[in-house]
Amino acid sequence: MLRKLLLSIVIAALFCRCSYSQWLEISNFKLRQESTELAGPKIIIEYDINDPNISPESPAYVFVRYSRDSGKTWQFIPMDSLRGNGFDIVGKSGHKEIVWWGTGQTSFADANQVKVRVSGIAMARVPAGKFVMKSLPGSGRDESKEITPEPNLPLFYMAKHETTISMYTDYLNELDGQSEGWNPRMTNENRCGIVRNDNGTYSVKPGRENYPVTYVSWYDAMNFLQWCGLRLPTEAEWEKALRGGFYLDGDAVKKKPNPMPERRYPWGDESPGADSVFRCNFDTEDDGFAYSAPVGSFARFASPYGICDLAGNVAEWTLDWYTTSYHAGLDGFRMVRGGSWMAVPAACDAITGATQLPLKESSIMGFRAVKGPGKSR
Amino acid sequence: MKSLNRREFMKGTVGAAAGLTLLSQPKARAAGEKVIIGVMGLGGRGTFLAESFAQRPDVEIAYLCDPNTRRFARAREVVEETQETRPKMIQDFREILDDKSVDALINATPDHWHGLGTIMACQAGKDVYVEKPMAHNIFEGRKMIEAARKYKRVVQVGMQSRSAAYSSKAKEYIQSGKLGDIYVVRVFNMMQHPMRNKVPDQPVPEGFDYDMWCGPAPKLPYNPGRQWLNQWEYSVGPIPGDLIHQLDMSRFLMNDIPYPKTVFHAGGVNALNDGREIPDTQMVTFEYGPLTLMAESALWTPYMKKIPANIRDSDRFPDWPFCSTRVEVLGTKGFMYYGRHGGGWLAYDANGELAHSEYGRQGDKEHQDNFIDCIRTRKRPNADVEIGHKSVLLCHMANISYRVGNLKLEFNPQTERFTNCDEANTYIKRKYREPWIVPENV
């Protein structure tokens, strides 16, 4: 008979990620260490996540990071060392409990130096199934790809919003004062708004928290997402997320047919500014924004899965290469999708892509996260 | 966007429009005054040039122009990041020509627009920076020279290796006789292009003035992507469009040798049988009397590499055997490797011992400096239009040799026509689509 020995050590502070910055609000943290008879110590993490929008279709992606040295350095806790109902894809709000099983990781000589952060991102579920891929080779696309008219994708989850300045600043502040991932142009308060302080920390210019981060290279985007345990979307994922599959509940269920599986924009076929209704942030100030807009400003015109700002606001890095070597020696381009606040309306559609060198840092380019098969943790 | 009365504009021919501008050519900008530039063509190269010129304190980019509005944002963003004023975004380049405050046009369009775009700019009193290959055909290149001279315009061709300091040193070395008498120059352009996926013709996308994009070329059904690069109507070809740099450098190193007497092309569409018109293999021999210029070029050689970015502006040399864009100069006393893209050069003596070497740096900035300087001084630029013509002529001669069945052709430099093949002369001038006609009298 196993006999648990409860030590009940309360370990340092947990950190809340607040919803205004597009982290989902997490509250009522509790953290304790327990020893077990044979399996070594384990950490019990409890928290509440009470966002009313959380559902299986709109789950939270929850990841946990920890520090053993009072917050100087941080590490991602691999999902396969966690058990419970409150990590990875979380489809129901309420009280959550995570058990962190580890060996050396969960044995702390000085529990007071341990810090844990739980963070949540609002995601949309994109069920497995066929969809219409219309972005044919050309116009900057990878001509080496075979694209079938009705490709099929497995289940994946995509962030409902573009990564915000506030989220990215939190990430920078965890990098131990390193300037990697930040560049001085990010201080531009119209186009970004992240300041590097004299002490090596980073601050968001007041009021800019909820705007999409810009001036991020493809590598910056990848580093941030790896920090979260996520990755960039492929072009196919991006396009399916915008247009929806033939069945919005997936090919396994087929109860919710997509009324417009070939739609041109997330909301349908109307041009972004048709009839003086502004459906996304493009190259006009009539939409209310001279530059980028806070993420979700056009939520009424989200994709069939409730994903915001796929059209306009900031163009978004994708995982995909552009490998056509018409300018051999300049290989290495990555594809960017979605138009931007500086783009003409037509460029905010489902098929327009642009090529960019991965080191490019631009005021019209940001990114969003995907959890799906492939390269995420 | 400014509304042009296009029908009224079209009433006049290109030549008629020119008559007015002759009388009212703008004066050269004084030192301290910004040079005002419009950019025509917002693909990768046009966007790069727009950004590079916008970064200069003595330049203002006033217009960014492309028939495809989807290309606007990327170019506008890079310009706005580097200059305070916002460029005007337009689809019709004639608005640039119509603006008296504009000094110069950067023409970074597809090949079929290089000639007429440049000629019309000269007629409108604008100086021009035109990308290579300078002209779509031999006739057009000659007319570009005539227009530049007639309207006293500076026309710089985007063959920037001419402005790189290491290129001049290589030329001095060769011309000093250290390699002996030169009888062979060999240039390479070995690339790796994929087979192109065939896609159906499609409706012209919203926001794309496809008629304007086609311009002087036939308005073929719209097909997305860069298929145009493999079609004679729009392109000099994917190989010549890049090989031109090495051909031009071979002419430069050999003190601007003027015209070859003969051309012989071998090759064809051998590896990439995807319906393309323009060869994927082009082995060309030009005879300049005792000097033979040989070009070895192909699109199916993945082991050959362009000089990587980390070598281009460094004190390093490329891996010469696999350097896809090298020039080899063979003399009676020595041998030289020259690398494009700032690859530097190495000279060997008769015993194969290294005699001299120079690291290289790319010449883009110097080439742009030279253009702006010439706009102010009215001097001929480093890659003047006549130099550009004589270099791109080699590409046209090679293509024509291929198009008549890989025949050896003899060329008369006085008439710029072939003397032993009437069919070859049918390719000297294209058929222009109205109203975009390059006139005999520019």
Side-chain angles (χ1 to χ4, degrees):
Chain A
M1 176 180 167
L2 292 175
R3 194 163 61 100
K4 280 187 181 176
L5 190 64
L6 185 64
L7 280 179
S8 185
I9 301 172
V10 177
I11 303 173
L14 275 165
F15 292 80
C16 168
R17 302 292 199 192
C18 298
S19 60
Y20 69 83
S21 65
Q22 296 308 318
W23 295 119
L24 291 170
E25 185 170 352
I26 285 171
S27 58
N28 296 328
F29 306 104
K30 289 178 188 167
L31 188 69
R32 65 182 189 278
Q33 186 186 53
E34 292 180 1
S35 64
T36 64
E37 186 171 300
L38 298 176
K42 62 184 180 184
I43 302 290
I44 313 296
I45 303 165
E46 292 182 77
Y47 69 91
D48 291 340
I49 185 166
N50 290 315
D51 190 304
N53 296 316
I54 291 179
S55 70
E57 287 72 37
S58 299
Y61 169 74
V62 177
F63 64 101
V64 189
R65 297 181 61 81
Y66 78 103
S67 171
R68 298 168 65 101
D69 53 11
S70 301
K72 289 177 187 167
T73 59
W74 292 83
Q75 286 185 288
F76 182 88
I77 302 180
M79 296 292 180
D80 57 9
S81 64
L82 300 177
R83 293 290 182 272
N85 63 355
F87 67 97
D88 204 354
I89 297 298
V90 176
K92 192 176 174 184
S93 61
H95 182 74
K96 303 294 172 189
E97 183 174 292
I98 306 173
V99 181
W100 174 18
W101 287 98
T103 52
Q105 287 177 325
T106 50
S107 298
F108 304 113
D110 182 357
N112 289 323
Q113 292 185 341
V114 176
K115 294 189 176 192
V116 173
R117 283 175 173 158
V118 179
S119 308
I121 300 174
M123 307 293 276
R125 183 175 188 267
V126 182
K130 290 183 178 177
F131 71 105
V132 178
M133 182 95 180
K134 280 199 169 183
S135 51
L136 290 168
S139 303
R141 293 207 70 260
D142 182 347
E143 297 189 20
S144 67
K145 285 181 184 171
E146 294 289 342
I147 296 175
T148 54
E150 291 186 6
N152 203 341
L153 283 177
L155 168 71
F156 67 94
Y157 299 87
M158 178 177 275
K160 284 188 165 184
H161 302 292
E162 291 157 338
T163 303
T164 64
I165 288 172
S166 181
M167 294 165 79
Y168 193 79
T169 305
D170 288 340
Y171 154 75
L172 290 174
N173 278 323
E174 233 192 58
L175 298 184
D176 195 24
Q178 304 295 316
S179 60
E180 188 180 348
W182 180 85
N183 64 75
R185 284 187 292 175
M186 287 181 172
T187 57
N188 184 327
E189 59 190 327
N190 289 322
R191 300 187 178 205
C192 189
I194 303 176
V195 179
R196 181 173 161 85
N197 304 310
D198 291 341
N199 63 0
T201 62
Y202 298 88
S203 306
V204 182
K205 292 208 171 184
R208 299 292 298 174
E209 293 84 356
N210 224 9
Y211 285 76
V213 67
T214 52
Y215 296 112
V216 278
S217 71
W218 186 88
Y219 299 106
D220 293 335
M222 287 295 286
N223 287 339
F224 172 89
L225 292 171
Q226 285 175 6
W227 176 83
C228 301
L230 298 169
R231 64 166 168 81
L232 286 169
T234 64
E235 279 197 275
E237 287 169 342
W238 193 94
E239 194 163 329
K240 181 176 179 181
L242 184 147
R243 200 177 269 134
F246 285 106
Y247 294 92
L248 298 176
D249 50 2
D251 286 2
V253 182
K254 289 191 174 180
K255 288 184 178 173
K256 291 172 70 176
N258 184 346
M260 298 183 70
E262 297 187 33
R263 70 187 68 201
R264 187 170 167 195
Y265 299 99
W267 53 84
D269 287 336
E270 301 93 347
S271 184
D275 304 322
S276 298
V277 176
F278 294 94
R279 298 165 178 84
C280 71
N281 181 15
F282 61 97
D283 183 21
T284 174
E285 294 187 23
D286 293 340
D287 58 21
F289 301 96
Y291 302 96
S292 63
V295 299
S297 294
F298 297 85
R300 272 179 62 206
F301 301 101
S303 87
Y305 303 114
I307 302 170
C308 299
D309 303 314
L310 286 165
N313 211 23
V314 290
E316 298 172 13
W317 286 111
T318 72
L319 200 57
D320 283 341
W321 296 92
Y322 175 71
T323 55
T324 295
S325 300
Y326 281 124
H327 292 287
L330 295 180
D331 279 349
F333 282 84
R334 296 281 179 168
M335 291 303 301
V336 177
R337 288 295 207 104
S340 70
W341 57 269
M342 204 182 263
V344 297
C348 297
D349 66 8
I351 62 170
T352 302
T355 56
Q356 285 285 5
L357 283 169
L359 286 171
K360 181 69 182 173
E361 297 156 347
S362 166
S363 66
I364 58 174
M365 282 158 42
F367 65 97
R368 76 173 69 224
V370 152
K371 171 77 177 179
K375 296 176 182 175
S376 54
R377 297 195 197 211
Chain B
M1 184 187 301
K2 181 181 175 183
S3 174
L4 274 182
N5 187 333
R6 182 179 295 201
R7 277 180 297 180
E8 283 191 8
F9 191 99
M10 288 299 186
K11 281 179 186 171
T13 64
V14 171
L20 296 173
T21 54
L22 257 183
L23 302 173
S24 57
Q25 288 177 19
K27 294 178 182 174
R29 291 280 175 189
E33 270 190 287
K34 285 196 173 190
V35 172
I36 309 299
I37 287 177
V39 181
M40 176 185 180
L42 303 178
R45 189 65 188 174
T47 301
F48 168 78
L49 289 172
E51 182 175 24
S52 301
F53 278 100
Q55 286 170 344
R56 301 178 62 96
D58 55 357
V59 164
E60 178 185 329
I61 303 295
Y63 292 90
L64 292 172
C65 174
D66 198 291
N68 188 352
T69 57
R70 283 177 166 79
R71 292 188 153 182
F72 282 3
R74 184 176 67 170
R76 183 183 142 198
E77 198 271 344
V78 298
V79 169
E80 286 191 14
E81 282 289 305
T82 50
Q83 72 177 34
E84 291 180 0
T85 54
R86 176 179 290 196
K88 191 170 184 182
M89 310 303 297
I90 58 172
Q91 289 178 277
D92 188 334
F93 74 102
R94 290 171 296 185
E95 195 168 343
I96 301 172
L97 306 189
D98 205 33
D99 186 336
K100 296 285 185 270
S101 72
V102 173
D103 299 297
L105 178 79
I106 292 174
N107 184 345
T109 53
D111 302 355
H112 65 285
W113 258 116
H114 286 174
L116 188 57
T118 298
I119 291 166
M120 290 176 69
C122 289
Q123 291 171 334
K126 313 302 182 194
D127 297 321
V128 182
Y129 186 108
V130 59
E131 265 305 329
K132 54 77 205 170
M134 184 192 91
H136 177 268
N137 54 72
I138 295 173
F139 163 81
E140 203 166 276
R142 176 53 55 187
K143 295 302 161 186
M144 291 167 78
I145 299 170
E146 290 176 11
R149 302 296 181 253
K150 181 174 179 179
Y151 301 104
K152 297 181 170 50
R153 292 296 100 199
V154 173
V155 178
Q156 171 90 299
V157 183
M159 302 187 303
Q160 56 274 10
S161 295
R162 280 187 176 256
S163 294
Y166 79 103
S167 301
S168 296
K169 289 183 180 177
K171 179 180 177 179
E172 286 169 20
Y173 191 88
I174 294 167
Q175 296 305 318
S176 73
K178 290 192 174 76
L179 297 183
D181 296 326
I182 311 298
Y183 292 114
V184 171
V185 176
R186 207 158 46 197
V187 303
F188 295 81
N189 203 69
M190 313 295 278
M191 298 189 282
Q192 56 280 354
H193 282 203
M195 291 276 275
R196 186 177 178 277
N197 289 333
K198 289 179 184 172
V199 297
D201 295 332
Q202 293 178 29
V204 177
E206 179 189 338
F208 184 21
D209 185 346
Y210 183 58
D211 188 79
M212 174 63 82
W213 187 89
C214 292
K219 193 174 174 182
L220 300 179
Y222 173 72
N223 197 285
R226 292 171 66 83
Q227 166 68 358
W228 65 266
L229 203 56
N230 298 312
Q231 292 175 297
W232 293 119
E233 295 289 5
Y234 306 109
S235 174
V236 182
I239 290 175
D242 203 43
L243 174 68
I244 177 67
H245 283 296
Q246 288 86 279
L247 291 174
D248 182 57
M249 285 321 295
S250 68
R251 291 190 59 245
F252 176 77
L253 295 173
M254 296 307 296
N255 216 14
D256 278 307
I257 41 175
Y259 293 94
K261 296 181 189 303
T262 68
V263 60
F264 171 60
H265 180 284
V269 181
N270 296 337
L272 305 174
N273 292 295
D274 55 7
R276 67 183 61 213
E277 295 176 338
I278 303 182
D280 59 32
T281 308
Q282 297 196 274
M283 303 291 161
V284 194
T285 304
F286 303 94
E287 291 177 315
Y288 288 83
L291 174 69
T292 302
L293 170 60
M294 301 165 74
E296 299 183 21
S297 47
L299 300 177
W300 40 264
T301 52
Y303 37 83
M304 301 294 288
K305 301 294 182 190
K306 283 194 171 181
I307 296 174
N310 61 338
I311 291 181
R312 291 185 179 192
D313 290 306
S314 75
D315 288 352
R316 295 172 65 190
F317 293 112
D319 182 12
W320 293 107
F322 295 99
C323 174
S324 67
T325 52
R326 70 183 187 271
V327 176
E328 297 177 354
V329 184
L330 285 71
T332 54
K333 296 180 184 173
F335 168 84
M336 177 184 283
Y337 276 131
Y338 168 92
R340 184 181 141 202
H341 294 122
W345 54 273
L346 302 175
Y348 297 86
D349 64 18
N351 296 317
E353 297 294 328
L354 183 64
H356 194 89
S357 64
E358 291 280 345
Y359 295 119
R361 298 291 185 272
Q362 296 183 84
D364 293 82
K365 183 181 180 303
E366 290 74 10
H367 208 53
Q368 293 157 18
D369 289 345
N370 175 247
F371 179 56
I372 299 300
D373 288 346
C374 290
I375 288 175
R376 297 189 192 283
T377 63
R378 312 313 298 168
K379 289 181 180 173
R380 295 259 171 98
N382 290 347
D384 174 61
V385 62
E386 188 157 3
I387 291 171
H389 173 63
K390 288 176 181 170
S391 292
V392 75
L393 185 71
L394 302 177
C395 301
H396 296 314
M397 290 175 70
N399 285 343
I400 293 171
S401 172
Y402 166 73
R403 296 179 82 174
V404 298
N406 282 336
L407 292 181
K408 183 172 182 176
L409 299 175
E410 295 168 4
F411 190 71
N412 181 337
Q414 274 72 47
T415 61
E416 294 191 341
R417 294 177 69 81
F418 299 98
T419 57
N420 65 334
C421 180
D422 290 340
E423 186 191 354
N425 287 322
T426 65
Y427 294 110
I428 284 178
K429 178 182 178 182
R430 76 164 313 140
K431 186 177 180 185
Y432 290 92
R433 185 174 70 107
E434 289 188 343
W436 305 110
I437 296 171
V438 173
E440 290 289 341
N441 181 7
V442 296

